[in-house]
Amino acid sequence: MKIIVDNNIVTDLKSWFTGYVNNFKYGDPDSQRNIDIKREHTERVTGEIINIGKQIGLNGNELNLAEIIALFHDIGRFEQYMLYNTFSDQRTEDHADLGIKILQKQNVLDNLDIEVQKLILCSIKYHNKPSLPREETRTCLFYSRLIRDADKLDIWRVVTDYYHRKNGERNVALELELPDTPGISKEVYNALMNKQIVDMKNVRNINDIKLLQAGWVFDINFKPTFECIKNRRYIEMIRDVLPVSEKIDYIFNIINCHINQSLI
Ligand SMILES: [Fe+2]
C-alpha cells in the first residue's frame, strides 16, 4: 500500500494536539504533573518512532504516518485522567479505545486518506493490548509494532527516572496504586521464565510491575529498539530497584540473554 501523508497535515495535527491538551489544566500540582507527564511522554514517543523508523528505512510519508500515530497513541489518557483521576485501565476503561472515540467524535483525522485513517486507528487500538491479533493487515500490524516499540522505550525512560529519582516523592499514578509489599507473584515469575509477557491481572505489588516492565523485552520487534534498550541500560536500572533474590536473578538472566540474542 502506498502511503501519502503530507508534511502540512502533520503540522496541523500537532497544533490540534497542543490545543486539545491545553484544555486540561489543574490547580492541584499532582494532577497537573500527571497531565504534563503524558504530554511530554507523547512528545518523546514521536521522537522515538521517527528514530526507529529512519533506522529501518521508512520514507518521508511513512515517517509522517508513524509520527501521527505516536502523537495520538495516548490521546485518551487526558480524558481518562479527568474522568477517573487515574491511569489504571483495569479500573476504568481502555485508554486506547477511549482515544479512538475522541479522534472520531472530533473528526480530527478527516483530512487524511481513508486508508491512512484506518491505519492510525488500528495502530492506536493495538498499541497497549497484551498481544497483536493475527487477522489484521500486514501494514496495520507493522505500524502497531512500531508504536509498541517506541512507546515502551519511553515508558522505560519514565519509570527508570522515577525509580531512581532523588527526591523520594511517591507518585501513586505511576505506581498504578499498587502496594509496596515484599516478594513477587508466582504467575509473574512463571511467565517471564517462559519468555512471556506478564498479564496485568497477575500483578499484585510494585515488584511485580517492575518485572512486568522488564519483561517487555519479549515484546520488542525491531533491532534498533534493542540497541536503545542496551545503550540506555534500562534493564539494569530496573534490576537495581528490585530486592536481592535468586528468582529475580534467574529472570534477569533470561531477559538479558534475549536482548543479546536479538542484537546478533
Ligand atoms: Fe498508551
Side-chain angles (χ1 to χ4, degrees):
M1 168 185 176
K2 188 152 168 56
I3 287 159
I4 309 282
V5 182
D6 198 78
N7 290 345
N8 294 332
I9 296 191
V10 181
T11 310
D12 291 349
L13 292 176
K14 279 186 183 167
S15 321
W16 183 88
F17 175 86
T18 306
Y20 176 79
V21 175
N22 282 341
N23 291 325
F24 298 86
K25 288 261 183 281
Y26 293 87
D28 151 43
D30 284 347
S31 300
Q32 188 57 48
R33 188 157 55 112
N34 284 324
I35 294 301
D36 293 344
I37 284 173
K38 289 298 173 193
R39 194 196 62 242
E40 290 159 10
H41 163 68
T42 296
E43 286 163 2
R44 288 191 306 261
V45 174
T46 59
E48 299 287 6
I49 210 166
I50 291 170
N51 182 28
I52 303 169
K54 279 184 179 164
Q55 291 191 66
I56 59 172
L58 297 192
N59 68 31
N61 284 293
E62 292 161 343
L63 288 172
N64 282 348
L65 168 58
E67 187 171 0
I68 296 170
I69 292 167
L71 185 67
F72 292 137
H73 80 284
D74 263 356
I75 197 73
R77 284 298 196 191
F78 304 96
E79 188 161 317
Q80 181 185 41
Y81 196 78
M82 182 186 73
L83 292 173
Y84 309 105
N85 211 33
T86 175
F87 293 132
S88 169
D89 286 3
Q90 303 280 102
R91 293 188 204 167
T92 64
E93 60 181 304
D94 185 301
H95 71 275
D97 298 344
L98 178 60
I100 290 169
K101 277 188 235 158
I102 293 163
L103 294 174
Q104 286 177 324
K105 206 157 70 188
Q106 304 214 22
N107 301 316
V108 181
L109 305 175
D110 279 12
N111 289 335
L112 287 155
D113 188 89
I114 188 77
E115 289 303 317
V116 170
Q117 291 187 34
K118 278 189 202 159
L119 281 175
I120 294 169
L121 297 179
C122 122
S123 314
I124 294 174
K125 179 179 166 77
Y126 297 131
H127 90 269
N128 66 334
K129 300 297 180 281
S131 58
L132 290 173
R134 283 159 188 264
E135 65 283 359
E136 274 293 350
T137 65
R138 266 182 55 199
T139 323
C140 159
L141 292 175
F142 171 80
Y143 284 95
S144 301
R145 291 191 175 106
L146 203 56
I147 184 62
R148 288 165 76 90
D149 274 29
D151 193 22
K152 288 186 180 76
L153 275 182
D154 193 65
I155 303 175
W156 273 317
R157 177 187 163 133
V158 171
V159 298
T160 52
D161 277 356
Y162 177 67
Y163 298 147
H164 289 270
R165 70 199 178 280
K166 295 279 181 282
N167 66 12
E169 280 170 25
R170 283 183 74 176
N171 179 340
V172 289
L174 277 183
E175 293 177 357
L176 302 176
E177 288 106 32
L178 290 161
D180 194 4
T181 49
I184 66 171
S185 301
K186 201 172 147 210
E187 296 88 343
V188 171
Y189 176 77
N190 289 339
L192 293 172
M193 292 305 285
N194 288 305
K195 301 180 96 179
Q196 283 164 2
I197 291 299
V198 173
D199 190 327
M200 195 61 204
K201 74 171 194 290
N202 295 320
V203 167
R204 300 199 182 92
N205 64 17
I206 295 181
N207 290 336
D208 287 346
I209 192 74
K210 288 172 180 168
L211 289 169
L212 173 144
Q213 289 158 350
W216 282 338
V217 296
F218 301 127
D219 189 30
I220 289 299
N221 304 289
F222 300 98
K223 202 169 170 180
T225 317
F226 282 108
E227 281 162 359
C228 289
I229 296 168
K230 187 132 189 159
N231 294 339
R232 300 177 192 177
R233 305 181 60 82
Y234 286 144
I235 300 305
E236 289 89 332
M237 287 169 85
I238 296 176
R239 177 63 189 96
D240 286 348
V241 291
L242 278 159
V244 176
S245 137
E246 218 168 40
K247 277 191 161 181
I248 296 178
D249 285 341
Y250 293 148
I251 293 172
F252 277 81
N253 272 337
I254 303 237
I255 287 174
N256 286 319
C257 280
H258 180 71
I259 296 172
N260 290 332
Q261 277 165 4
S262 306
L263 283 168
I264 294 169

